[in-house]
C-alpha cells in the first residue's frame, strides 16, 4: 500500500514532462500524504491539465460519529469493485499522478523507517489513478495498486501501477479492458531503484498523516 510519495520537481517541470501546455502553480507539497494535496494530470477536451487535488476519496464508515472527518481512500485495490468501476470505465475520470519516489515502511513498529523506490533514469514518473469531485474536499484522486514485482516485494506485497512515458495516452484514453490490463501486469523489476534510509516513517516535527484506507 502506498501512503507516502514525493514530487521533488517544480510544477513547470512536471507540466513539461506530461505535455501540459498551460501549467498553473499548485499548493501540493514535496512530500504527499493521504488527505493532503498532490499534483494530478488529467485530460479535458483533448488537452492535458495539471491541477492540485486531495489524495484520497472521502469515506465515512458506519460507526463514525457525525462530526468525524471522513477517511481518505488513497489506494485502489481492484478497479472492478463497485466504488471504482463506474469511474474506471470512463476515460474522463482517469488521471496520472506525478511522482519522483514512493515509500514503504520497514522495521519494528514505532521505529519504522522509510524505504524509497524510484524508476531508473526517470526524474519524474507516473502512477495510474482515478479522480472525481467530492462534496467534502472538492477534486480528489486515488492511485491504482497491483502486486509488487521482485524489486518492491522485500518491502511490501503491493505497489503502485506505474505507467511508462509512451503509455500515458493509453491510460488516459483507452478502453476499460486497457485499464484492467495495467492493473494486472507486472512492472519490470529491472526499472526500479530502491534506497533504504534511516528516516523515521513518522517524523516528530511534521503533522502525522491521515490513516489511509485501501478498497
Amino acid at each position: 500500500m502506498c501512503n507516502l510519495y514525493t514530487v521533488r520537481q517544480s510544477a513547470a517541470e512536471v507540466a513539461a514532462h506530461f505535455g501540459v501546455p498551460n501549467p498553473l502553480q499548485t499548493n501540493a507539497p514535496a512530500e504527499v500524504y493521504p488527505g493532503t494535496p498532490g499534483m494530478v494530470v488529467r485530460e479535458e477536451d483533448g488537452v492535458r491539465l495539471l491541477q492540485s487535488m486531495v489524495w484520497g476519496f472521502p469515506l465515512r464508515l458506519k460507526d463514525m460519529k457525525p462530526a468525524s472527518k471522513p477517511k481518505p481512500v488513497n489506494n485502489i485495490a481492484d478497479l472492478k469493485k463497485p466504488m471504482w468501476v463506474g469511474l474506471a470505465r470512463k476515460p474522463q475520470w482517469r488521471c496520472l499522478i506525478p511522482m519522483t519516489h514512493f515509500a514503504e515502511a520497514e522495521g519494528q513498529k514505532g521505529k519504522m523507517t522509510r524505504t524509497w523506490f524510484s524508476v531508473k533514469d526517470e526524474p519524474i514518473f507516473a502512477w495510474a489513478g482515478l479522480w472525481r469531485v467530492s462534496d467534502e474536499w472538492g477534486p480528489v484522486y486515488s492511485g491504482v495498486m497491483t502486486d509488487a514485482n521482485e524489486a518492491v516485494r522485500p518491502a511490501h506485497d503491493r505497489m503502485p501501477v506505474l505507467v511508462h512515458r509512451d503509455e500515458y495516452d493509453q491510460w488516459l484514453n483507452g478502453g476499460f479492458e486497457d485499464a484492467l490490463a495495467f492493473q494486472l501486469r507486472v512492472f519490470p523489476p529491472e526499472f526500479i531503484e530502491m534506497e533504504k534510509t534511516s528516516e523515521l516513517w513518522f517524523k516528530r516535527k511534521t503533522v502525522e498523516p491521515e490513516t489511509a484506507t485501501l478498497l
Side-chain angles (χ1 to χ4, degrees):
M1 187 160 67
C2 184
N3 291 335
L4 170 62
Y5 69 89
T6 63
V7 187
R8 302 194 184 279
Q9 302 282 345
S10 68
E13 289 170 320
V14 172
H17 175 89
F18 288 96
V20 176
N22 298 302
L24 300 175
Q25 292 297 320
T26 78
N27 63 341
E31 287 191 354
V32 186
Y33 299 93
T36 66
M39 284 191 275
V40 172
V41 175
R42 64 181 182 88
E43 279 197 13
E44 186 174 302
D45 298 327
V47 177
R48 290 185 185 174
L49 306 173
L50 175 67
Q51 71 180 95
S52 178
M53 300 184 188
V54 172
W55 184 20
F57 282 35
L59 176 68
R60 188 169 292 282
L61 303 174
K62 292 181 180 179
D63 59 350
M64 293 176 68
K65 297 179 180 178
S68 299
K69 290 172 59 178
K71 296 291 185 183
V73 183
N74 62 300
N75 288 175
I76 300 169
D78 186 351
L79 287 170
K80 299 188 296 297
K81 283 191 173 182
M83 182 172 179
W84 310 112
V85 67
L87 295 172
R89 288 184 182 279
K90 299 175 181 178
Q92 65 264 37
W93 299 115
R94 297 193 207 134
C95 64
L96 296 167
I97 305 165
M99 309 172 81
T100 54
H101 298 79
F102 64 92
E104 292 296 347
E106 290 195 286
Q108 297 178 352
K109 188 175 181 180
K111 297 181 180 180
M112 287 187 170
T113 56
R114 299 175 177 191
T115 295
W116 294 98
F117 296 92
S118 59
V119 176
K120 289 181 180 178
D121 302 320
E122 292 287 2
I124 303 171
F125 56 96
W127 181 12
L130 300 177
W131 77 282
R132 70 173 176 87
V133 179
S134 70
D135 293 334
E136 297 89 344
W137 301 331
V140 296
Y141 67 99
S142 189
V144 186
M145 302 297 289
T146 188
D147 292 335
N149 61 22
E150 292 179 8
V152 177
R153 197 173 298 126
H156 203 281
D157 61 357
R158 302 286 282 172
M159 66 178 286
V161 171
L162 303 181
V163 184
H164 297 288
R165 283 189 190 226
D166 60 356
E167 298 172 331
Y168 292 169
D169 187 68
Q170 185 179 3
W171 170 257
L172 290 172
N173 297 295
F176 183 52
E177 293 303 318
D178 292 318
L180 294 179
F182 275 102
Q183 189 167 39
L184 293 174
R185 76 174 184 185
V186 177
F187 190 80
E190 61 270 20
F191 291 172
I192 296 291
E193 291 185 328
M194 179 175 67
E195 180 188 1
K196 291 180 178 288
T197 75
S198 58
E199 294 178 272
L200 290 178
W201 183 256
F202 293 112
K203 295 183 178 180
R204 291 183 179 181
K205 293 185 179 181
T206 60
V207 177
E208 185 170 314
E210 293 272 5
T211 301
T213 306
L214 182 150
L215 288 176

